[in-house]
Amino acid sequence: MNFPGECVVVIPCLNEAKTVFLLIQAVKKHVGDVIVVDDGSKDATVMLAKNAGAEVICHGRRRGKGAALNTGW
């Protein structure tokens, strides 16, 4: 299986500015595409995720981890 070419990682986030950039960089070493679903963060999570190279989908308000994963899938 060609993991970098065939797999996508979905990361649900809520106020993860401290860790999201480095996490995405680490994940991108193994797969080509990363989708971050921001579940209403009030910090710089969205900006940092975009800067790290992830596709970012934003919920307008908090909907929970399950909803964030469902959105990403």
Side-chain angles (χ1 to χ4, degrees):
M1 179 173 216
N2 175 12
F3 282 105
E6 297 178 19
C7 294
V8 175
V9 172
V10 176
I11 303 172
C13 287
L14 176 64
N15 297 324
E16 297 295 340
K18 291 181 182 180
T19 58
V20 73
F21 188 88
L22 292 176
L23 174 64
I24 293 166
Q25 286 186 326
V27 169
K28 286 185 76 65
K29 291 178 183 178
H30 304 283
V31 298
D33 295 315
V34 176
I35 299 171
V36 168
V37 181
D38 181 73
D39 197 37
S41 293
K42 302 293 185 196
D43 62 5
T45 297
V46 171
M47 179 192 66
L48 291 167
K50 288 179 180 178
N51 288 344
E55 177 182 339
V56 178
I57 301 169
C58 295
H59 286 172
R61 60 178 175 78
R62 255 183 103 177
R63 294 173 47 198
K65 182 179 179 180
L69 287 170
N70 193 42
T71 296
W73 291 325

